[in-house]
C-alpha cells in the first residue's frame, strides 16, 4: 500500500514539472513574437527589388514652412460704394460687372421731380438774395443820416444773412447730387442728375436696374481700384508669434500653383476672429493684372531657421497615426522605431529619436516596402 502511494506522488510531481516547463516555453514564445512584431527580415533578392538604401542621421540648418490661406483685397480707399443722396429713379446705366471706368465719368443718370424743385428753390432764393442785399445796402445809407432807426437796419441785416445761408445750403445740396450751381439758370433746369465715378477702377457689383426707385441708403454700384491690391492671410493664434513684419511670402492660386507671387508682411492684426485666427496683411512686390480682389490664394512663409537632426522624407513612414523609421541591423533585419517629426524643408525632415539609436544606420529609401512586408506577414 505504501508503494502505491509513493508511485502516485512521484507521478503527480513529474506532471507538475512538465506543466511548468510548458508554461515557461509558451511565455518565451510570446515574448519572441512581441519582439518580432517590430522587426522584419529581408532576403538579398527582396532588398534589391525594394531598392533599400541606408544612411546616417545628419545635422543641418533647416527652417519650417508655414502654409497659410487668404484672399486678395484692396485698401478701404480703393473700394467705393456708390449711392444717391436724394434717392430717385434710375433712368439709365450702361454698366456691367468688370467694366473699366475713369474718375469723373458719367456712369448713371437719376431722375426725379424733387431735383426740379431743388433747382427752383435755389434760383428763387438766389434772386431774392439780390433784392434783400439791395434793401440792406439802402438801409445802411439811410441809417447813416439817421433817416431810419437802428432796429430797421438790424432787421435788414438779419434778412440778408438768413438769405445768404439759404442760398449756400441749397447750392451745396445741388453739388451733392451732381449739379453745378454756377452754371444753373432758368434755362438749364433739368429733371435728371448725373452720377459720376469718384475713382478709376472697374465695376465689381451692380445692385439696381433701370427704372427702379432707390432710396438714399441703397448701394447702387461698387467700384474697385485694383492698382494697390494686397494679400490678407488668415493665421491661427498658435502661429502668430512665428511671424514678424518684413518676412518674405510666396503666394499662389489654386488654379496656377506654379506661378509664384512674391510678397512681404507689413501688418499683423491685433484682434482674434471668432474662428481664432488673426489677419496678416502683405504687400505684393510687383503689380499684376491677374490678381483680382476677392481671389483666394495660398501662401508659404519660411520661419525660424535652426540646426536639426534630419533624414530624407522617404525615411519616415506613418502607421496608426504615428511616425516611424527603420533601423538597419545585422542579417538583413530592420527594426521599426517610433519617432517624432519636426520641421521639413527641401525633402528633409527633422527627427527626434531615442539617443540610443543616434549612431545607427537608418533606411533612407524603401521604408514603405519594409512596412508593407512587416504588416502583411501572417501571424505564426
Amino acid at each position: 500500500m505504501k508503494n502505491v502511494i509513493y508511485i502516485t506522488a512521484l507521478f503527480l510531481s513529474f506532471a507538475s514539472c512538465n506543466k511548468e516547463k510548458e508554461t515557461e516555453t509558451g511565455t518565451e514564445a510570446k515574448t519572441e513574437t512581441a519582439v518580432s512584431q517590430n522587426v522584419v527580415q529581408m532576403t538579398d533578392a527582396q532588398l534589391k527589388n525594394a531598392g533599400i538604401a541606408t544612411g546616417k542621421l545628419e545635422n543641418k540648418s533647416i527652417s519650417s514652412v508655414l502654409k497659410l490661406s487668404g484672399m486678395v483685397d484692396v485698401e478701404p480707399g480703393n473700394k467705393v460704394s456708390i449711392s444717391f443722396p436724394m434717392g430717385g429713379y434710375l433712368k439709365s446705366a450702361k454698366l456691367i460687372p468688370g467694366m473699366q471706368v475713369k474718375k469723373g465719368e458719367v456712369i448713371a443718370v437719376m431722375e426725379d421731380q424733387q431735383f426740379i424743385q431743388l433747382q427752383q428753390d435755389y434760383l428763387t432764393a438766389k434772386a431774392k438774395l439780390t433784392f434783400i442785399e439791395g434793401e440792406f445796402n439802402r438801409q445802411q445809407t439811410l441809417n447813416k443820416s439817421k433817416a431810419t432807426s437802428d432796429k430797421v437796419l438790424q432787421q435788414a441785416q438779419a434778412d440778408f444773412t438768413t438769405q445768404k445761408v439759404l442760398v449756400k445750403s441749397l447750392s451745396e445740396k445741388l453739388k451733392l447730387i451732381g449739379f453745378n450751381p454756377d452754371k444753373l439758370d432758368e434755362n438749364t433746369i433739368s429733371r435728371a442728375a448725373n452720377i459720376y465715378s469718384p475713382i478709376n477702377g472697374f465695376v465689381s457689383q451692380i445692385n439696381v436696374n433701370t427704372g427702379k426707385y432707390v432710396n438714399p441708403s441703397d448701394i447702387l454700384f461698387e467700384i474697385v481700384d485694383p492698382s494697390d491690391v494686397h494679400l490678407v492671410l488668415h493665421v491661427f493664434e498658435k502661429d502668430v508669434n512665428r511671424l514678424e513684419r518684413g518676412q518674405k511670402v510666396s503666394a499662389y492660386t489654386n488654379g496656377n500653383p506654379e506661378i509664384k507671387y512674391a510678397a512681404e508682411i507689413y501688418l499683423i492684426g491685433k484682434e482674434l476672429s471668432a474662428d481664432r485666427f488673426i489677419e496678416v496683411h502683405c504687400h505684393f512686390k510687383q503689380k499684376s493684372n491677374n490678381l483680382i480682389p476677392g481671389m483666394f490664394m495660398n501662401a508659404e512663409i519660411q520661419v525660424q531657421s535652426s540646426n536639426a537632426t534630419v533624414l530624407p522624407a522617404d525615411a519616415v513612414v506613418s502607421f496608426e497615426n504615428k511616425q516611424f523609421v527603420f533601423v538597419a541591423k545585422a542579417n538583413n533585419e530592420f527594426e521599426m522605431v517610433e519617432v517624432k517629426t519636426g520641421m521639413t524643408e527641401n525633402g528633409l525632415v527633422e527627427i527626434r529619436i531615442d539617443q540610443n539609436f543616434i549612431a545607427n544606420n537608418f533606411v533612407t529609401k524603401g521604408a514603405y516596402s519594409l512596412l508593407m512586408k512587416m504588416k502583411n506577414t501572417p501571424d505564426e
Side-chain angles (χ1 to χ4, degrees):
M1 183 63 179
K2 289 182 179 180
N3 290 337
V4 173
I5 294 173
Y6 175 76
I7 292 172
T8 301
L10 187 63
F11 175 78
L12 292 174
S13 176
F14 179 76
S16 176
C17 289
N18 285 342
K19 187 173 182 180
E20 289 178 2
K21 288 181 179 180
E22 289 176 0
T23 302
E24 291 175 0
T25 302
T27 301
E28 291 176 0
K30 288 182 179 179
T31 302
E32 283 184 9
T33 300
V35 171
S36 64
Q37 284 179 353
N38 290 328
V39 177
V40 61
Q41 188 171 35
M42 306 280 278
T43 64
D44 291 337
Q46 288 174 329
L47 285 179
K48 183 177 180 180
N49 292 334
I52 302 297
T54 60
K56 296 285 188 179
L57 288 168
E58 296 182 89
N59 285 318
K60 287 193 174 183
S61 178
I62 189 172
S63 60
S64 63
V65 177
L66 186 60
K67 295 186 177 183
L68 304 168
S69 62
M71 65 183 296
V72 178
D73 203 355
V74 293
E75 301 292 343
N78 288 47
K79 185 175 182 179
V80 179
S81 297
I82 298 176
S83 57
F84 197 72
M86 291 187 67
Y89 294 92
L90 181 63
K91 180 181 179 181
S92 64
K94 298 181 180 180
L95 301 179
I96 58 175
M99 177 182 289
Q100 293 286 333
V101 294
K102 295 181 179 180
K103 183 177 180 179
E105 178 184 349
V106 177
I107 58 176
V109 178
M110 300 293 295
E111 192 175 67
D112 199 271
Q113 62 180 2
Q114 61 181 329
F115 307 157
I116 301 173
Q117 185 64 52
L118 180 59
Q119 294 169 84
Q120 177 185 336
D121 293 343
Y122 171 75
L123 292 174
T124 302
K126 187 177 179 181
K128 191 174 182 179
L129 176 63
T130 303
F131 170 78
I132 293 177
E133 183 180 10
E135 179 63 18
F136 171 63
N137 292 333
R138 191 174 72 86
Q139 291 297 331
Q140 276 187 317
T141 303
L142 292 174
N143 185 260
K144 287 180 182 179
S145 61
K146 300 301 180 181
T148 186
S149 65
D150 291 342
K151 182 177 180 181
V152 173
L153 175 62
Q154 291 172 354
Q155 181 62 51
Q157 184 177 11
D159 292 342
F160 179 48
T161 302
T162 301
Q163 195 65 21
K164 285 197 298 184
V165 170
L166 177 59
V167 171
K168 181 62 176 176
S169 65
L170 292 172
S171 172
E172 292 301 314
K173 287 182 179 181
L174 287 171
K175 292 178 182 179
L176 196 60
I177 61 173
F179 285 96
N180 184 350
D182 296 333
K183 295 182 178 181
L184 184 63
D185 58 34
E186 64 275 12
N187 298 315
T188 59
I189 294 176
S190 174
R191 62 183 180 182
N194 295 331
I195 298 178
Y196 301 91
S197 175
I199 60 172
N200 295 321
F202 66 90
V203 180
S204 63
Q205 194 169 347
I206 299 175
N207 301 321
V208 67
N209 54 273
T210 302
K212 183 177 181 180
Y213 183 84
V214 294
N215 296 304
S217 59
D218 294 339
I219 303 299
L220 309 181
F221 319 105
E222 287 189 356
I223 298 177
V224 175
D225 178 5
S227 61
D228 190 23
V229 296
H230 66 278
L231 179 62
V232 181
L233 298 174
H234 298 157
V235 182
F236 285 103
E237 57 178 323
K238 65 182 181 65
D239 295 320
V240 172
N241 291 334
R242 305 169 69 185
L243 302 179
E244 59 185 17
R245 291 185 61 184
Q247 276 182 307
K248 307 303 179 185
V249 179
S250 179
Y252 55 92
T253 64
N254 290 327
N256 295 296
E258 68 280 358
I259 300 178
K260 307 295 183 182
Y261 298 91
E264 182 178 295
I265 295 176
Y266 75 91
L267 177 64
I268 299 176
K270 301 298 182 183
E271 184 177 357
L272 281 171
S273 70
D275 296 326
R276 311 300 296 175
F277 67 75
I278 286 177
E279 289 188 348
V280 173
H281 298 258
C282 311
H283 271 314
F284 288 105
K285 293 291 187 179
Q286 293 182 338
K287 296 180 181 179
S288 173
N289 293 330
N290 296 326
L291 298 175
I292 301 173
M295 176 183 288
F296 286 99
M297 297 194 78
N298 298 312
E300 296 179 352
I301 304 176
Q302 298 280 347
V303 294
Q304 193 179 356
S305 295
S306 60
N307 289 325
T309 303
V310 299
L311 281 175
D314 290 341
V316 182
V317 296
S318 298
F319 182 71
E320 294 182 345
N321 296 323
K322 296 180 181 179
Q323 309 298 315
F324 299 90
V325 296
F326 283 93
V327 176
K329 304 172 74 70
N331 300 321
N332 292 345
E333 287 187 346
F334 302 91
E335 181 180 359
M336 188 170 74
V337 178
E338 184 179 355
V339 295
K340 300 294 183 183
T341 58
M343 299 177 290
T344 61
E345 183 183 27
N346 297 328
L348 298 175
V349 58
E350 181 184 7
I351 300 295
R352 302 186 185 99
I353 192 172
D354 192 304
Q355 292 295 315
N356 295 328
F357 295 100
I358 292 294
N360 287 88
N361 281 329
F362 294 84
V363 173
T364 57
K365 186 178 179 181
Y368 267 103
S369 297
L370 294 177
L371 179 63
M372 294 300 101
K373 167 72 173 174
M374 175 181 293
K375 298 308 174 183
N376 291 333
T377 301
D379 295 335
E380 300 293 338

